[in-house]
Amino acid sequence: VRTVSNVVNDFAHVAPATRTRVQQALDELGYRPNLAARQLRTGRTGLVALVVPEIASPYFSELAAYLVDEAEDHGLTLLVDQTRGDPARELRLLSGERAQHVDGVIVSPWGVDPTDPVVPSRMPVVLLGERAGGGAADHISIDNVAAAADATEHLLGLGRTRVAVIGHQPHLRNGTAAQRLAGYRLARERVGADVAAERVEPVQSLHREDGARAMARLLDAPASADAVFCFTDELALGALRTCGDRGVRVPDDIAIVGFDDIEDGRYATPSLSTVSPDKAEIARAAMAALAGRLSGTGGPPREVTVEHRLLVRESSAG
Amino acid sequence: VRTVSNVVNDFAHVAPATRTRVQQALDELGYRPNLAARQLRTGRTGLVALVVPEIASPYFSELAAYLVDEAEDHGLTLLVDQTRGDPARELRLLSGERAQHVDGVIVSPWGVDPTDPVVPSRMPVVLLGERAGGGAADHISIDNVAAAADATEHLLGLGRTRVAVIGHQPHLRNGTAAQRLAGYRLARERVGADVAAERVEPVQSLHREDGARAMARLLDAPASADAVFCFTDELALGALRTCGDRGVRVPDDIAIVGFDDIEDGRYATPSLSTVSPDKAEIARAAMAALAGRLSGTGGPPREVTVEHRLLVRESSAG
DNA sequence: TTGTAAGCGTTATCAC
DNA sequence: GTGATAACGCTTACAA
């Protein structure tokens, strides 16, 4: 039994002759190791989870597509789960019975901070997006402040004077919106814009519908905006739709920039200018970090900042 | 040990007093059953897989979102995987090592017919979309022929005489495109349209890009179409973009209808008319069928046809 | 280099 | 109604 196990797991200390003999029998019998027994013994499943607020959100599903392939490259299988922004559900996925199925988790947090000591989870965690608390876990993200500043500066550089933002989420612990707001303010500060004149539209969630409604509020306001930076492409697509409905020309009357570079934006009319995070690289770095932890690599929490670039398309073209 | 197991699994034949005493100890110790050991004994994992060609495709990610919730209602966990249209990968997911992790699978087939006896898989399979071969498995689908006929009739009813289709995939075994083509032909036949005058644009895959290119070919052709039925919304959104680029007005010059009712279509400008399959119901029926098989319900393969309806929006409004 | 045997945490069979 | 005890299929310390 020992020798067979050695052959199956490709260990050393097996005589070449024995190895071929065993291998032959393995093939002949169509032997497949029982994963449950193996897990019972080793405690490892070979599964890792991706936990996101919404699978149906294009940004996350595009990211998931990359991660599935990355997982396979590391000999792992990716399991995708969604929390729908429900903190209880988020907690359950991280420390409930569900957690037993997976060796580690890549999580884009919403309400819960998975590194919070309150979360009773003993498996490796990789954080995507902005970190909520001070806990220590590997963290992959772009520089949201700089990226938001890039977008805002681009709009200001077009000569627009009334640049608004859509997408602040003051009710969430997840700090991504806060970071992007900070970037917006930073860019305005740099050109000496009047702080009191900033215009920030909060949203409940990040669907197209929220963007559409926020844009409607913006257009109804007395001194309407001449440019809008939306914190996600989905919000921007909703905003674009409202402009179309109201006969507001984009980019002539209002220039719009989104964030995420989802495929829909490339084919929208007008095509959507956006901040494009390097999703392939985010997936690569996240899975590399997780796989590293799983193979017992210690060391302090890794902090990876991935590149982004501003893609200027029709919705904000000169 | 036996009694504790009885309590944990909520079985009968436990004295009330013993039950509370055991339960108390369980709580006190924070006992959690080890799922690997349970699986080793029972052979069940509690995981089911959804296998789709592309996670990043909005139709599938929206469906996945429904299925995650449905799975939870049945005490199951959904694992999402993609094949990227690679038959080898499709086969591997259905019968490779990966298959051991899951109790059953819901599959939207691409190249491989999972009910083909060639596929050495002994787990319950639920098929989505059109079935490829003659194998026997539970099958959930809408009536693609009728749905495509509805869409085509709608366009013909607008008085359009040169109705084309985009999206045929003659190279695939998966018969969905073939069904929709049949529906298109059926509707034309009903109004006595000239068979030779049909215009069918094939595509390699179903991305926006394919739709954009197909529409370009259509516009370049001598007698251009005045209406297009696209086999998916993604194709339609690509087609819409090409029309915008060329100054072709939708629906005035060309009316467009898509298929799937993805969220992008609702917010596109013009908003996309589409055939809307009842995704929630597809998810419900699929998971119910799978859960039924898992709990040992026998019987012949179930054949479920889910409702669809035509949503007329701006891209084909009168 | 190979074989033996213990043990992972369940569930299920069988007496009591 | 409850308690021993075998078995699921693997990995691994230890022996040979």
Side-chain angles (χ1 to χ4, degrees):
Chain A
V1 183
R2 174 59 204 242
T3 303
V4 172
S5 183
N6 281 342
V7 172
V8 169
N9 294 305
D10 207 26
F11 287 161
H13 303 308
V14 181
T18 320
R19 168 153 283 159
T20 40
R21 206 153 53 86
V22 170
Q23 190 58 57
Q24 200 152 19
L26 253 32
D27 295 343
E28 205 161 311
L29 297 164
Y31 173 82
R32 294 270 166 265
N34 180 307
L35 298 176
R38 183 175 277 176
Q39 179 191 352
L40 182 58
R41 207 35 245 221
T42 63
R44 303 260 311 255
T45 64
L47 294 176
V48 295
L50 169 67
V51 175
V52 297
E54 310 221 22
I55 294 179
S57 181
Y59 175 71
F60 290 123
S61 63
E62 290 181 16
L63 191 64
Y66 283 112
L67 280 167
V68 166
D69 293 343
E70 287 294 335
E72 192 176 17
D73 290 348
H74 288 273
L76 297 166
T77 299
L78 188 78
L79 188 153
V80 184
D81 226 317
Q82 70 182 343
T83 64
R84 292 204 187 277
D86 176 3
R89 205 184 142 88
E90 207 165 353
L91 200 65
R92 189 145 36 92
L93 292 180
L94 289 170
S95 58
E97 194 165 88
R98 220 346 220 77
Q100 277 193 56
H101 281 124
V102 299
D103 296 337
V105 59
I106 297 173
V107 49
S108 180
W110 193 257
V112 173
D113 177 0
T115 65
D116 194 316
V118 173
V119 180
S121 171
R122 281 269 116 340
M123 65 181 164
V125 168
V126 172
L127 272 177
L128 298 183
E130 224 45 48
R131 69 166 10 130
D138 293 330
H139 179 217
I140 320 291
S141 148
I142 63 167
D143 184 340
N144 273 295
V145 176
D150 289 351
T152 309
E153 266 165 19
H154 161 60
L155 291 171
L156 291 168
L158 295 174
R160 309 288 167 139
T161 55
R162 300 185 309 282
V163 180
V165 294
I166 289 177
H168 188 41
Q169 298 185 284
H171 58 294
L172 288 192
R173 289 186 62 188
N174 172 3
T176 300
Q179 297 285 313
R180 294 182 186 171
L181 182 60
Y184 163 73
R185 286 178 171 155
L186 182 64
R188 284 173 52 87
E189 198 177 310
R190 283 194 192 132
V191 300
D194 180 7
V195 175
E198 75 170 22
R199 179 112 179 110
V200 179
E201 274 297 335
V203 292
Q204 191 62 32
S205 60
L206 301 174
H207 300 121
R208 291 172 180 77
E209 188 188 350
D210 299 277
R213 281 201 294 247
M215 179 56 96
R217 290 196 298 273
L218 230 38
L219 294 175
D220 290 339
S224 187
D226 58 6
V228 181
F229 167 40
C230 298
F231 287 176
T232 74
D233 278 0
E234 282 186 272
L235 290 172
L237 290 169
L240 217 50
R241 175 69 214 189
T242 297
C243 289
D245 288 342
R246 305 250 188 141
V248 174
R249 293 168 307 160
V250 177
D252 312 71
D253 301 330
I254 294 191
I256 296 183
V257 174
F259 205 115
D260 286 344
D261 190 19
I262 65 177
E263 190 170 352
D264 325 8
R266 292 201 272 285
Y267 284 86
T269 308
S271 58
L272 187 62
S273 296
T274 191
V275 175
S276 177
D278 189 340
K279 290 194 270 285
E281 179 59 19
I282 291 173
R284 203 203 53 70
M287 196 56 73
L290 188 55
R293 295 295 170 190
L294 292 180
S295 59
T297 313
R302 238 166 295 185
E303 185 71 36
V304 180
T305 303
V306 172
E307 292 298 307
H308 67 268
R309 59 211 176 95
L310 179 69
L311 301 179
V312 177
R313 301 206 188 100
E314 295 163 358
S315 71
S316 72
Chain B
V1 183
R2 174 60 206 242
T3 303
V4 172
S5 183
N6 281 342
V7 172
V8 169
N9 293 307
D10 208 25
F11 286 161
H13 304 308
V14 181
T18 320
R19 169 153 282 162
T20 40
R21 205 154 53 88
V22 170
Q23 189 60 57
Q24 200 152 20
L26 253 32
D27 296 342
E28 205 162 310
L29 297 165
Y31 172 81
R32 295 270 165 266
N34 180 307
L35 298 176
R38 182 174 279 174
Q39 179 190 351
L40 181 59
R41 207 35 246 219
T42 63
R44 303 259 312 253
T45 64
L47 295 176
V48 295
L50 169 67
V51 175
V52 297
E54 309 223 22
I55 294 178
S57 181
Y59 174 73
F60 291 123
S61 63
E62 289 181 18
L63 191 65
Y66 283 112
L67 280 167
V68 167
D69 293 345
E70 286 294 334
E72 191 175 17
D73 290 348
H74 288 273
L76 297 167
T77 299
L78 187 77
L79 188 152
V80 184
D81 226 316
Q82 71 182 343
T83 65
R84 292 204 187 277
D86 176 2
R89 204 185 145 88
E90 206 165 355
L91 200 66
R92 190 145 34 95
L93 292 180
L94 289 170
S95 57
E97 193 165 89
R98 219 349 218 74
Q100 276 194 58
H101 281 125
V102 300
D103 296 336
V105 59
I106 297 173
V107 48
S108 180
W110 194 256
V112 173
D113 178 359
T115 67
D116 195 315
V118 173
V119 180
S121 172
R122 283 269 118 335
M123 64 180 164
V125 168
V126 173
L127 272 178
L128 299 184
E130 224 46 46
R131 70 167 5 132
D138 293 330
H139 179 217
I140 320 291
S141 151
I142 63 168
D143 184 340
N144 273 296
V145 177
D150 289 351
T152 309
E153 266 165 19
H154 161 60
L155 291 171
L156 291 168
L158 295 173
R160 309 288 167 138
T161 55
R162 301 185 308 282
V163 180
V165 295
I166 289 178
H168 187 41
Q169 298 185 283
H171 58 294
L172 288 192
R173 290 187 60 188
N174 171 5
T176 300
Q179 296 286 311
R180 294 182 187 170
L181 182 59
Y184 163 73
R185 287 179 171 155
L186 181 65
R188 284 174 52 89
E189 198 176 311
R190 284 194 193 132
V191 299
D194 180 7
V195 175
E198 76 170 22
R199 178 110 179 112
V200 179
E201 273 299 336
V203 292
Q204 191 62 31
S205 59
L206 302 174
H207 301 121
R208 290 172 182 78
E209 188 188 351
D210 299 277
R213 280 200 294 245
M215 179 56 96
R217 289 194 300 272
L218 229 39
L219 294 175
D220 290 339
S224 188
D226 59 4
V228 181
F229 167 39
C230 298
F231 287 177
T232 74
D233 278 1
E234 282 186 272
L235 290 173
L237 290 169
L240 217 50
R241 175 68 213 191
T242 296
C243 290
D245 288 342
R246 305 251 189 141
V248 173
R249 292 167 309 160
V250 178
D252 311 71
D253 301 329
I254 295 192
I256 296 182
V257 174
F259 205 114
D260 285 346
D261 190 19
I262 64 176
E263 190 171 353
D264 325 8
R266 293 202 271 285
Y267 284 86
T269 308
S271 58
L272 187 63
S273 296
T274 192
V275 175
S276 177
D278 189 340
K279 291 194 269 286
E281 179 59 18
I282 290 173
R284 204 202 53 70
M287 196 56 74
L290 188 55
R293 295 294 169 188
L294 292 181
S295 58
T297 313
R302 239 165 294 186
E303 186 70 37
V304 181
T305 302
V306 172
E307 293 297 307
H308 67 268
R309 58 210 177 94
L310 179 68
L311 301 179
V312 176
R313 301 207 187 99
E314 294 164 358
S315 70
S316 73

